Amino acid sequence: MVVRTSSAEETEGFGARLAGTRPGGDDTLCVVYLTGDLGAGKTTLTRGLLRSLGVTGAVRSPTYTLLEIYELGAVTALHLDLYRLSDPAELHNLGLREWARGGHLWLIEWPERGGELLPAADLVITLTAGDSSHDIEVSARTDTGTAWINRLNDPAPAR
């Protein structure tokens, strides 16, 4: 699935659509890899998704801390930005294993820097910036990811 957005607001809006169509609810671990060049819109999309889930404060990429955790009632969202990671082994210091369970949503920017230490992606979202628009390509890697894309494509409200 490919979506084209022409503003930050539209990219955030697509993030909100992702939040509203997330499958599984309280008992499912959902993992999203966000790929693309610097400035492609990864954090902007994440901001829209997290705001739709109830985050009211600032949503910035955790470039220096690597991880930001949002406790949002029915779901706990982890926003990781691995851009500054120099070795995947650094992930061990974050205690991520305790968060790899149902009711959690992982949003991972620069997942290629985490190597094999990250859980497998349900969705891979690739953002590409153009002169006047951004292309957002969403691909499923698991049955959960396929269900998510099917809900995104369904014209009827998912929830």
Side-chain angles (χ1 to χ4, degrees), residues 121-150:
D122 295 301
L123 288 182
V124 174
I125 300 176
T126 303
L127 294 101
T128 307
D131 290 337
S132 61
S133 65
H134 287 70
D135 285 342
I136 304 169
E137 181 179 349
V138 182
S139 60
R141 299 292 169 90
T142 64
D143 290 343
T144 297
T146 299
W148 203 337
I149 288 175
N150 288 341

PDB file of all heavy atoms in Angstrom, residues 121-150:
ATOM      1  N   ALA A 121       9.206  -7.217  12.595  1.00  0.00           N
ATOM      2  CA  ALA A 121       8.206  -6.192  12.274  1.00  0.00           C
ATOM      3  C   ALA A 121       6.911  -6.817  11.793  1.00  0.00           C
ATOM      4  O   ALA A 121       6.922  -7.771  11.014  1.00  0.00           O
ATOM      5  CB  ALA A 121       8.742  -5.262  11.199  1.00  0.00           C
ATOM      6  N   ASP A 122       5.802  -6.257  12.259  1.00  0.00           N
ATOM      7  CA  ASP A 122       4.497  -6.572  11.680  1.00  0.00           C
ATOM      8  C   ASP A 122       4.284  -5.721  10.437  1.00  0.00           C
ATOM      9  O   ASP A 122       3.789  -6.207   9.429  1.00  0.00           O
ATOM     10  CB  ASP A 122       3.377  -6.315  12.697  1.00  0.00           C
ATOM     11  CG  ASP A 122       3.483  -7.246  13.889  1.00  0.00           C
ATOM     12  OD1 ASP A 122       3.438  -8.478  13.677  1.00  0.00           O
ATOM     13  OD2 ASP A 122       3.623  -6.741  15.019  1.00  0.00           O
ATOM     14  N   LEU A 123       4.649  -4.442  10.548  1.00  0.00           N
ATOM     15  CA  LEU A 123       4.574  -3.509   9.427  1.00  0.00           C
ATOM     16  C   LEU A 123       5.937  -2.871   9.222  1.00  0.00           C
ATOM     17  O   LEU A 123       6.625  -2.543  10.191  1.00  0.00           O
ATOM     18  CB  LEU A 123       3.583  -2.367   9.693  1.00  0.00           C
ATOM     19  CG  LEU A 123       2.102  -2.628   9.688  1.00  0.00           C
ATOM     20  CD1 LEU A 123       1.347  -1.319   9.938  1.00  0.00           C
ATOM     21  CD2 LEU A 123       1.635  -3.271   8.404  1.00  0.00           C
ATOM     22  N   VAL A 124       6.285  -2.666   7.973  1.00  0.00           N
ATOM     23  CA  VAL A 124       7.436  -1.841   7.628  1.00  0.00           C
ATOM     24  C   VAL A 124       6.886  -0.648   6.859  1.00  0.00           C
ATOM     25  O   VAL A 124       6.196  -0.819   5.845  1.00  0.00           O
ATOM     26  CB  VAL A 124       8.473  -2.606   6.784  1.00  0.00           C
ATOM     27  CG1 VAL A 124       9.589  -1.668   6.330  1.00  0.00           C
ATOM     28  CG2 VAL A 124       9.048  -3.775   7.577  1.00  0.00           C
ATOM     29  N   ILE A 125       7.163   0.537   7.367  1.00  0.00           N
ATOM     30  CA  ILE A 125       6.693   1.765   6.734  1.00  0.00           C
ATOM     31  C   ILE A 125       7.924   2.505   6.226  1.00  0.00           C
ATOM     32  O   ILE A 125       8.803   2.872   7.010  1.00  0.00           O
ATOM     33  CB  ILE A 125       5.899   2.639   7.718  1.00  0.00           C
ATOM     34  CG1 ILE A 125       4.684   1.853   8.232  1.00  0.00           C
ATOM     35  CG2 ILE A 125       5.474   3.949   7.054  1.00  0.00           C
ATOM     36  CD1 ILE A 125       3.878   2.572   9.284  1.00  0.00           C
ATOM     37  N   THR A 126       7.963   2.689   4.920  1.00  0.00           N
ATOM     38  CA  THR A 126       9.085   3.380   4.291  1.00  0.00           C
ATOM     39  C   THR A 126       8.610   4.735   3.814  1.00  0.00           C
ATOM     40  O   THR A 126       7.659   4.817   3.021  1.00  0.00           O
ATOM     41  CB  THR A 126       9.638   2.557   3.115  1.00  0.00           C
ATOM     42  OG1 THR A 126      10.021   1.267   3.603  1.00  0.00           O
ATOM     43  CG2 THR A 126      10.839   3.240   2.479  1.00  0.00           C
ATOM     44  N   LEU A 127       9.245   5.786   4.304  1.00  0.00           N
ATOM     45  CA  LEU A 127       8.881   7.155   3.935  1.00  0.00           C
ATOM     46  C   LEU A 127       9.934   7.714   2.997  1.00  0.00           C
ATOM     47  O   LEU A 127      11.129   7.599   3.255  1.00  0.00           O
ATOM     48  CB  LEU A 127       8.752   8.035   5.170  1.00  0.00           C
ATOM     49  CG  LEU A 127       7.582   7.623   6.082  1.00  0.00           C
ATOM     50  CD1 LEU A 127       8.069   6.829   7.250  1.00  0.00           C
ATOM     51  CD2 LEU A 127       6.821   8.834   6.528  1.00  0.00           C
ATOM     52  N   THR A 128       9.462   8.317   1.920  1.00  0.00           N
ATOM     53  CA  THR A 128      10.341   8.913   0.925  1.00  0.00           C
ATOM     54  C   THR A 128       9.890  10.346   0.688  1.00  0.00           C
ATOM     55  O   THR A 128       8.726  10.574   0.328  1.00  0.00           O
ATOM     56  CB  THR A 128      10.299   8.124  -0.401  1.00  0.00           C
ATOM     57  OG1 THR A 128      10.564   6.750  -0.123  1.00  0.00           O
ATOM     58  CG2 THR A 128      11.317   8.651  -1.384  1.00  0.00           C
ATOM     59  N   ALA A 129      10.795  11.287   0.900  1.00  0.00           N
ATOM     60  CA  ALA A 129      10.469  12.701   0.712  1.00  0.00           C
ATOM     61  C   ALA A 129      10.729  13.100  -0.729  1.00  0.00           C
ATOM     62  O   ALA A 129      11.770  12.789  -1.293  1.00  0.00           O
ATOM     63  CB  ALA A 129      11.295  13.565   1.646  1.00  0.00           C
ATOM     64  N   GLY A 130       9.756  13.798  -1.321  1.00  0.00           N
ATOM     65  CA  GLY A 130       9.914  14.379  -2.639  1.00  0.00           C
ATOM     66  C   GLY A 130       9.923  15.890  -2.524  1.00  0.00           C
ATOM     67  O   GLY A 130       9.915  16.443  -1.425  1.00  0.00           O
ATOM     68  N   ASP A 131       9.918  16.574  -3.662  1.00  0.00           N
ATOM     69  CA  ASP A 131       9.939  18.032  -3.638  1.00  0.00           C
ATOM     70  C   ASP A 131       8.693  18.624  -2.992  1.00  0.00           C
ATOM     71  O   ASP A 131       8.769  19.583  -2.232  1.00  0.00           O
ATOM     72  CB  ASP A 131      10.086  18.585  -5.056  1.00  0.00           C
ATOM     73  CG  ASP A 131      11.468  18.322  -5.620  1.00  0.00           C
ATOM     74  OD1 ASP A 131      12.413  18.128  -4.826  1.00  0.00           O
ATOM     75  OD2 ASP A 131      11.600  18.307  -6.855  1.00  0.00           O
ATOM     76  N   SER A 132       7.534  18.063  -3.283  1.00  0.00           N
ATOM     77  CA  SER A 132       6.298  18.641  -2.759  1.00  0.00           C
ATOM     78  C   SER A 132       5.408  17.631  -2.050  1.00  0.00           C
ATOM     79  O   SER A 132       4.289  17.959  -1.665  1.00  0.00           O
ATOM     80  CB  SER A 132       5.506  19.289  -3.900  1.00  0.00           C
ATOM     81  OG  SER A 132       5.163  18.306  -4.855  1.00  0.00           O
ATOM     82  N   SER A 133       5.892  16.405  -1.870  1.00  0.00           N
ATOM     83  CA  SER A 133       5.079  15.394  -1.211  1.00  0.00           C
ATOM     84  C   SER A 133       5.985  14.321  -0.604  1.00  0.00           C
ATOM     85  O   SER A 133       7.183  14.292  -0.840  1.00  0.00           O
ATOM     86  CB  SER A 133       4.114  14.754  -2.203  1.00  0.00           C
ATOM     87  OG  SER A 133       4.824  14.039  -3.199  1.00  0.00           O
ATOM     88  N   HIS A 134       5.354  13.478   0.179  1.00  0.00           N
ATOM     89  CA  HIS A 134       6.020  12.321   0.769  1.00  0.00           C
ATOM     90  C   HIS A 134       5.248  11.079   0.341  1.00  0.00           C
ATOM     91  O   HIS A 134       4.016  11.080   0.356  1.00  0.00           O
ATOM     92  CB  HIS A 134       6.006  12.388   2.299  1.00  0.00           C
ATOM     93  CG  HIS A 134       6.939  13.393   2.878  1.00  0.00           C
ATOM     94  ND1 HIS A 134       6.759  14.743   2.771  1.00  0.00           N
ATOM     95  CD2 HIS A 134       8.066  13.236   3.601  1.00  0.00           C
ATOM     96  CE1 HIS A 134       7.729  15.373   3.386  1.00  0.00           C
ATOM     97  NE2 HIS A 134       8.541  14.490   3.902  1.00  0.00           N
ATOM     98  N   ASP A 135       5.974  10.041  -0.012  1.00  0.00           N
ATOM     99  CA  ASP A 135       5.351   8.747  -0.263  1.00  0.00           C
ATOM    100  C   ASP A 135       5.546   7.895   0.976  1.00  0.00           C
ATOM    101  O   ASP A 135       6.650   7.831   1.532  1.00  0.00           O
ATOM    102  CB  ASP A 135       5.970   8.050  -1.472  1.00  0.00           C
ATOM    103  CG  ASP A 135       5.515   8.652  -2.792  1.00  0.00           C
ATOM    104  OD1 ASP A 135       4.489   9.365  -2.801  1.00  0.00           O
ATOM    105  OD2 ASP A 135       6.176   8.411  -3.809  1.00  0.00           O
ATOM    106  N   ILE A 136       4.472   7.254   1.393  1.00  0.00           N
ATOM    107  CA  ILE A 136       4.502   6.370   2.555  1.00  0.00           C
ATOM    108  C   ILE A 136       4.102   4.987   2.061  1.00  0.00           C
ATOM    109  O   ILE A 136       2.950   4.763   1.696  1.00  0.00           O
ATOM    110  CB  ILE A 136       3.525   6.854   3.645  1.00  0.00           C
ATOM    111  CG1 ILE A 136       3.839   8.300   4.052  1.00  0.00           C
ATOM    112  CG2 ILE A 136       3.566   5.918   4.843  1.00  0.00           C
ATOM    113  CD1 ILE A 136       2.774   8.933   4.930  1.00  0.00           C
ATOM    114  N   GLU A 137       5.065   4.087   2.039  1.00  0.00           N
ATOM    115  CA  GLU A 137       4.807   2.720   1.602  1.00  0.00           C
ATOM    116  C   GLU A 137       4.689   1.832   2.836  1.00  0.00           C
ATOM    117  O   GLU A 137       5.576   1.814   3.687  1.00  0.00           O
ATOM    118  CB  GLU A 137       5.927   2.215   0.706  1.00  0.00           C
ATOM    119  CG  GLU A 137       5.693   0.806   0.206  1.00  0.00           C
ATOM    120  CD  GLU A 137       6.796   0.310  -0.699  1.00  0.00           C
ATOM    121  OE1 GLU A 137       7.660   1.109  -1.121  1.00  0.00           O
ATOM    122  OE2 GLU A 137       6.797  -0.900  -0.973  1.00  0.00           O
ATOM    123  N   VAL A 138       3.588   1.112   2.923  1.00  0.00           N
ATOM    124  CA  VAL A 138       3.326   0.249   4.073  1.00  0.00           C
ATOM    125  C   VAL A 138       3.283  -1.187   3.579  1.00  0.00           C
ATOM    126  O   VAL A 138       2.518  -1.516   2.663  1.00  0.00           O
ATOM    127  CB  VAL A 138       1.980   0.612   4.740  1.00  0.00           C
ATOM    128  CG1 VAL A 138       1.739  -0.250   5.969  1.00  0.00           C
ATOM    129  CG2 VAL A 138       1.928   2.096   5.092  1.00  0.00           C
ATOM    130  N   SER A 139       4.111  -2.035   4.182  1.00  0.00           N
ATOM    131  CA  SER A 139       4.098  -3.449   3.804  1.00  0.00           C
ATOM    132  C   SER A 139       4.003  -4.311   5.052  1.00  0.00           C
ATOM    133  O   SER A 139       4.556  -3.980   6.101  1.00  0.00           O
ATOM    134  CB  SER A 139       5.330  -3.814   2.975  1.00  0.00           C
ATOM    135  OG  SER A 139       6.511  -3.563   3.697  1.00  0.00           O
ATOM    136  N   ALA A 140       3.282  -5.406   4.928  1.00  0.00           N
ATOM    137  CA  ALA A 140       3.067  -6.336   6.038  1.00  0.00           C
ATOM    138  C   ALA A 140       4.145  -7.405   6.019  1.00  0.00           C
ATOM    139  O   ALA A 140       4.551  -7.869   4.953  1.00  0.00           O
ATOM    140  CB  ALA A 140       1.692  -6.973   5.917  1.00  0.00           C
ATOM    141  N   ARG A 141       4.557  -7.812   7.210  1.00  0.00           N
ATOM    142  CA  ARG A 141       5.537  -8.891   7.346  1.00  0.00           C
ATOM    143  C   ARG A 141       4.997 -10.068   8.141  1.00  0.00           C
ATOM    144  O   ARG A 141       5.657 -11.091   8.251  1.00  0.00           O
ATOM    145  CB  ARG A 141       6.802  -8.364   8.029  1.00  0.00           C
ATOM    146  CG  ARG A 141       7.494  -7.264   7.254  1.00  0.00           C
ATOM    147  CD  ARG A 141       8.095  -7.815   5.959  1.00  0.00           C
ATOM    148  NE  ARG A 141       8.551  -6.784   5.069  1.00  0.00           N
ATOM    149  CZ  ARG A 141       9.758  -6.258   5.047  1.00  0.00           C
ATOM    150  NH1 ARG A 141      10.645  -6.673   5.905  1.00  0.00           N
ATOM    151  NH2 ARG A 141      10.058  -5.328   4.175  1.00  0.00           N
ATOM    152  N   THR A 142       3.807  -9.897   8.731  1.00  0.00           N
ATOM    153  CA  THR A 142       3.196 -10.953   9.539  1.00  0.00           C
ATOM    154  C   THR A 142       1.694 -10.953   9.287  1.00  0.00           C
ATOM    155  O   THR A 142       1.163 -10.042   8.628  1.00  0.00           O
ATOM    156  CB  THR A 142       3.428 -10.712  11.046  1.00  0.00           C
ATOM    157  OG1 THR A 142       2.750  -9.494  11.413  1.00  0.00           O
ATOM    158  CG2 THR A 142       4.906 -10.613  11.392  1.00  0.00           C
ATOM    159  N   ASP A 143       1.007 -11.931   9.854  1.00  0.00           N
ATOM    160  CA  ASP A 143      -0.458 -11.951   9.767  1.00  0.00           C
ATOM    161  C   ASP A 143      -1.061 -10.724  10.449  1.00  0.00           C
ATOM    162  O   ASP A 143      -2.048 -10.163   9.973  1.00  0.00           O
ATOM    163  CB  ASP A 143      -1.018 -13.228  10.394  1.00  0.00           C
ATOM    164  CG  ASP A 143      -0.701 -14.467   9.580  1.00  0.00           C
ATOM    165  OD1 ASP A 143      -0.348 -14.349   8.393  1.00  0.00           O
ATOM    166  OD2 ASP A 143      -0.813 -15.582  10.146  1.00  0.00           O
ATOM    167  N   THR A 144      -0.466 -10.304  11.558  1.00  0.00           N
ATOM    168  CA  THR A 144      -0.947  -9.093  12.238  1.00  0.00           C
ATOM    169  C   THR A 144      -0.800  -7.888  11.323  1.00  0.00           C
ATOM    170  O   THR A 144      -1.702  -7.049  11.224  1.00  0.00           O
ATOM    171  CB  THR A 144      -0.175  -8.871  13.556  1.00  0.00           C
ATOM    172  OG1 THR A 144      -0.429  -9.977  14.428  1.00  0.00           O
ATOM    173  CG2 THR A 144      -0.580  -7.576  14.233  1.00  0.00           C
ATOM    174  N   GLY A 145       0.323  -7.791  10.635  1.00  0.00           N
ATOM    175  CA  GLY A 145       0.544  -6.697   9.692  1.00  0.00           C
ATOM    176  C   GLY A 145      -0.443  -6.729   8.543  1.00  0.00           C
ATOM    177  O   GLY A 145      -0.967  -5.683   8.122  1.00  0.00           O
ATOM    178  N   THR A 146      -0.728  -7.920   8.032  1.00  0.00           N
ATOM    179  CA  THR A 146      -1.708  -8.048   6.949  1.00  0.00           C
ATOM    180  C   THR A 146      -3.085  -7.599   7.423  1.00  0.00           C
ATOM    181  O   THR A 146      -3.786  -6.872   6.716  1.00  0.00           O
ATOM    182  CB  THR A 146      -1.749  -9.502   6.437  1.00  0.00           C
ATOM    183  OG1 THR A 146      -0.451  -9.848   5.937  1.00  0.00           O
ATOM    184  CG2 THR A 146      -2.783  -9.674   5.346  1.00  0.00           C
ATOM    185  N   ALA A 147      -3.466  -8.005   8.634  1.00  0.00           N
ATOM    186  CA  ALA A 147      -4.754  -7.575   9.185  1.00  0.00           C
ATOM    187  C   ALA A 147      -4.794  -6.060   9.334  1.00  0.00           C
ATOM    188  O   ALA A 147      -5.815  -5.427   9.061  1.00  0.00           O
ATOM    189  CB  ALA A 147      -4.997  -8.251  10.536  1.00  0.00           C
ATOM    190  N   TRP A 148      -3.677  -5.471   9.718  1.00  0.00           N
ATOM    191  CA  TRP A 148      -3.606  -4.016   9.898  1.00  0.00           C
ATOM    192  C   TRP A 148      -3.819  -3.315   8.561  1.00  0.00           C
ATOM    193  O   TRP A 148      -4.605  -2.374   8.463  1.00  0.00           O
ATOM    194  CB  TRP A 148      -2.257  -3.659  10.483  1.00  0.00           C
ATOM    195  CG  TRP A 148      -2.185  -2.347  11.212  1.00  0.00           C
ATOM    196  CD1 TRP A 148      -3.003  -1.262  11.063  1.00  0.00           C
ATOM    197  CD2 TRP A 148      -1.230  -1.989  12.199  1.00  0.00           C
ATOM    198  NE1 TRP A 148      -2.597  -0.247  11.897  1.00  0.00           N
ATOM    199  CE2 TRP A 148      -1.516  -0.672  12.610  1.00  0.00           C
ATOM    200  CE3 TRP A 148      -0.140  -2.643  12.768  1.00  0.00           C
ATOM    201  CZ2 TRP A 148      -0.755  -0.007  13.563  1.00  0.00           C
ATOM    202  CZ3 TRP A 148       0.608  -1.969  13.721  1.00  0.00           C
ATOM    203  CH2 TRP A 148       0.297  -0.666  14.113  1.00  0.00           C
ATOM    204  N   ILE A 149      -3.139  -3.773   7.533  1.00  0.00           N
ATOM    205  CA  ILE A 149      -3.313  -3.156   6.212  1.00  0.00           C
ATOM    206  C   ILE A 149      -4.740  -3.347   5.710  1.00  0.00           C
ATOM    207  O   ILE A 149      -5.329  -2.420   5.141  1.00  0.00           O
ATOM    208  CB  ILE A 149      -2.281  -3.706   5.210  1.00  0.00           C
ATOM    209  CG1 ILE A 149      -0.898  -3.152   5.555  1.00  0.00           C
ATOM    210  CG2 ILE A 149      -2.656  -3.329   3.776  1.00  0.00           C
ATOM    211  CD1 ILE A 149       0.228  -3.711   4.704  1.00  0.00           C
ATOM    212  N   ASN A 150      -5.322  -4.513   5.946  1.00  0.00           N
ATOM    213  CA  ASN A 150      -6.711  -4.736   5.515  1.00  0.00           C
ATOM    214  C   ASN A 150      -7.648  -3.768   6.220  1.00  0.00           C
ATOM    215  O   ASN A 150      -8.578  -3.245   5.594  1.00  0.00           O
ATOM    216  CB  ASN A 150      -7.125  -6.179   5.810  1.00  0.00           C
ATOM    217  CG  ASN A 150      -6.460  -7.164   4.876  1.00  0.00           C
ATOM    218  OD1 ASN A 150      -5.969  -6.811   3.802  1.00  0.00           O
ATOM    219  ND2 ASN A 150      -6.408  -8.429   5.283  1.00  0.00           N
TER     220      ASN A 150
END
